[in-house]
Amino acid sequence: MPIIGGAERLPRTVWWLVLARAVNRLGAFSVGFLTVLITSGFGVSVVAAGAISAAFGLATIPSRLLGGVLADRLGRRRTIVAGLVACALAQAGIALSSSVAMVAVFAVLLGLAFEIYEPPSQAMIADAVRPAQQAQAFSLFNTALAVGGMGAGLIAAGLGRWDLRWLFVADAVSCLICAAVIRLVLPADPPAAPRRAGEPAQGGGPAQGGGPAQGRRPAQGGVSAWRDRRLLVLLLSGTLFAVIFMQVGMAMPLALARRGLEAADAGLLSAVAAVVMALCQPLLRWTAALSHHAAMTSGYLLLAAGLAGYAAAEGLPGHLAATVVWSAGDVLMFGRSYALVVGLAPPDARGRYLSVFGTCWGFATVLAPLCGTQLLELAGPAGLWGGLALVCLLLAAAQLTVIRPLLRRQDSRTMVGV
C-alpha cells in the first residue's frame, strides 16, 4: 500500500463512503424545515408541528439500532442502499402529502429510516482499514458531514424561497444518487458463511482490506452490545459530548442575540468550524502516535478552552477565535471515540456496537434543546458556555481516571492504540 508522509493511504472504500456521505449531506437540509412546512403549508400550530418533529427525532433512535442489526445480518452494502432508498421514499411522501396527518406518518417513517445508513457505513470503514488508521478514517467521515452541510445551507436558501416541498424532493434525489454510488462502486457483501447444526448465526462478514481477523476474539453470534458495560460507559460519555456539541448549533443563535449580535452569524461560525475540520485532517498524522485516551483527553481540553472562549467573548472576532479552538479539538477526538468502540466489538458485531454507541446522538437530540434553553435562561450566555466548558473538563478527567482503567481491566487484548 502506498505511503505518503509516513502514513498509509486510506483505502478507496473509505474515500467512496466519504464522498457518498458528502453528497447525501449536501441534500440533507430538508429536515430542518419540517416544522416550517407544517405550519405554513397546513396552518398547524407551532406546538403541534414541534410534536411531529419530536416524533421524527425519537424515531431516529430505533432507526440506528435497526441499521446496526441489519449491517451484521444482511450485509453492509445492502443495508446502506436499503436505508437510503427508504429515506428517499419517505421524503418524497412528505413532499406529496396533502394533509398534516400524512406528513406526520411520513415524518415518523423518515425517522425510522434516517439513521439506518450510519452503522453499516461505519462498520464498512472499520472493516476496510487497519486499526492504526481507524481514527483518521472516522474523523474524515465526520468532516464530510460538516463540509457537506456548508453547501446544504446554500441550496436550502435557494430552493426554500421557491417552495419548501422542493427541499424534500431534492433530498430524496440526493439519497437515490448516494445509494446508486454505493451500489456501483463499493465491494459486494460476502456471502454468509454456512452454518453447522446448532451453530449461532453470524452477521457482517470478514474484514475487507485487513485480512483475516487473526488474534481477535472468536466471533460471537447473537452477542448483545447492551450487556457490555464498557460500551455503556462510552455511550454515557458520548451522550454528554453530543449534548455539548449540539449546543453550538442549537443555542448559538439565541446566545448571540442575547449579546446584541446577529443570530445569523451562527451560520458563519458553523462554516468556519467546517473549514477548520477540513484543514486539520492532514494534521491527524502528527497525532497518530497518541493513544486514543490521550487524544480524547486533549480534545476535551481544547473543547473546554473553546467554550470558555465563547463565555468570555463579547464580539464576533472572539467567537470566531473560540470556534477555531473547539473545532480542532473535535477533529482530534471524534474519530478516536469510534475507534474505541470498534476495538471493543467482536468482528461480527461491529454494526451493533456502533449503532448502540451512535444512539448518543438520538438521546442528545432530545436532551440538548432542554438543557441549552434552561441554562441560557438561568445563567445567560456566559453561564451556558462556562458550564459546558466545565463538563468538558470533567469528561477529560473521566477519560483518564475511569474509562481507560475500565477498558484496560476488562479486556485489554481488544483495545487498539491504548
Side-chain angles (χ1 to χ4, degrees):
M1 187 173 294
I3 305 295
I4 291 182
E8 293 181 353
R9 288 180 179 175
L10 293 174
R12 282 181 295 179
T13 295
V14 174
W15 288 106
W16 278 117
L17 285 168
V18 168
L19 176 62
R21 192 181 209 205
V23 171
N24 191 42
R25 182 65 179 92
L26 197 63
F29 42 73
S30 60
V31 175
F33 293 85
L34 180 60
T35 303
V36 181
L37 174 66
I38 295 171
T39 55
S40 63
F42 299 97
V44 176
S45 69
V46 174
V47 174
I52 294 175
S53 294
F56 160 82
L58 288 175
T60 62
I61 297 177
S63 171
R64 190 178 283 262
L65 295 175
L66 176 61
V69 172
L70 292 178
D72 290 335
R73 296 183 178 177
L74 182 64
R76 319 298 199 209
R77 192 179 72 173
R78 294 188 192 97
T79 302
I80 294 173
V81 172
L84 290 170
V85 171
C87 280
L89 293 176
Q91 288 155 347
I94 292 175
L96 296 174
S97 293
S98 57
S99 68
V100 68
M102 289 182 64
V103 172
V105 170
F106 281 112
V108 173
L109 291 176
L110 178 59
L112 291 173
F114 200 72
E115 298 287 352
I116 290 177
Y117 168 85
E118 287 288 320
S121 299
Q122 295 164 349
M124 187 173 276
I125 287 177
D127 292 342
V129 302
R130 299 182 185 278
Q133 295 177 298
Q134 287 174 357
Q136 180 186 1
F138 284 124
S139 182
L140 184 64
F141 196 58
N142 180 51
T143 300
L145 188 66
V147 174
M150 292 174 60
L154 298 177
I155 296 175
L159 290 178
R161 298 177 192 276
W162 186 14
D163 188 331
L164 289 176
R165 291 177 183 268
W166 283 107
L167 296 178
F168 293 89
V169 173
D171 203 348
V173 171
S174 76
C175 281
L176 293 177
I177 293 174
C178 187
V181 171
I182 295 293
R183 178 65 178 79
L184 292 174
V185 304
L186 291 187
D189 297 311
R195 285 189 292 159
R196 299 176 181 175
E199 182 179 324
Q202 297 178 9
Q208 301 170 11
Q214 296 178 356
R216 297 175 182 170
R217 286 178 293 176
Q220 301 174 17
V223 64
S224 175
W226 290 104
R227 296 180 180 178
D228 193 325
R229 187 172 62 174
R230 302 161 302 171
L231 179 62
L232 297 182
V233 171
L234 291 178
L235 174 60
L236 175 59
S237 64
T239 300
L240 290 175
F241 165 74
V243 169
I244 294 169
F245 183 86
M246 294 183 72
Q247 295 306 326
V248 179
M250 292 183 172
M252 182 59 75
L254 295 174
L256 290 175
R258 286 284 187 97
R259 285 176 160 166
L261 302 173
E262 291 291 335
D265 287 339
L268 175 61
L269 298 179
S270 178
V272 170
V275 171
V276 172
M277 290 179 188
L279 293 178
C280 284
Q281 289 302 310
L283 302 180
L284 289 177
R285 294 172 180 170
W286 296 356
T287 62
L290 290 176
S291 72
H292 294 327
H293 297 291
M296 291 190 68
T297 301
S298 302
Y300 280 130
L301 293 177
L302 286 172
L303 284 172
L307 293 170
Y310 282 153
E314 294 293 338
L316 185 59
H319 284 82
L320 289 171
T323 298
V324 172
V325 174
W326 77 254
S327 299
D330 179 63
V331 171
L332 185 61
M333 65 180 295
F334 187 90
R336 303 289 188 144
S337 60
Y338 283 92
L340 281 174
V341 174
V342 171
L344 295 179
D348 65 329
R350 283 174 171 170
R352 280 166 282 172
Y353 269 63
L354 286 165
S355 67
V356 168
F357 179 72
T359 59
C360 64
W361 294 99
F363 296 140
T365 301
V366 178
L367 295 173
L370 301 175
C371 298
T373 52
Q374 290 296 319
L375 278 173
L376 191 60
E377 188 66 27
L378 294 174
L384 168 66
W385 303 123
L388 295 178
L390 178 59
V391 175
C392 284
L393 292 177
L394 294 176
L395 286 172
Q399 190 70 39
L400 294 179
T401 62
V402 178
I403 296 177
R404 181 173 64 178
L406 174 65
L407 268 57
R408 277 183 167 175
R409 183 172 63 251
Q410 290 205 1
D411 196 352
S412 61
R413 294 175 301 172
T414 63
M415 293 308 304
V416 177
V418 174

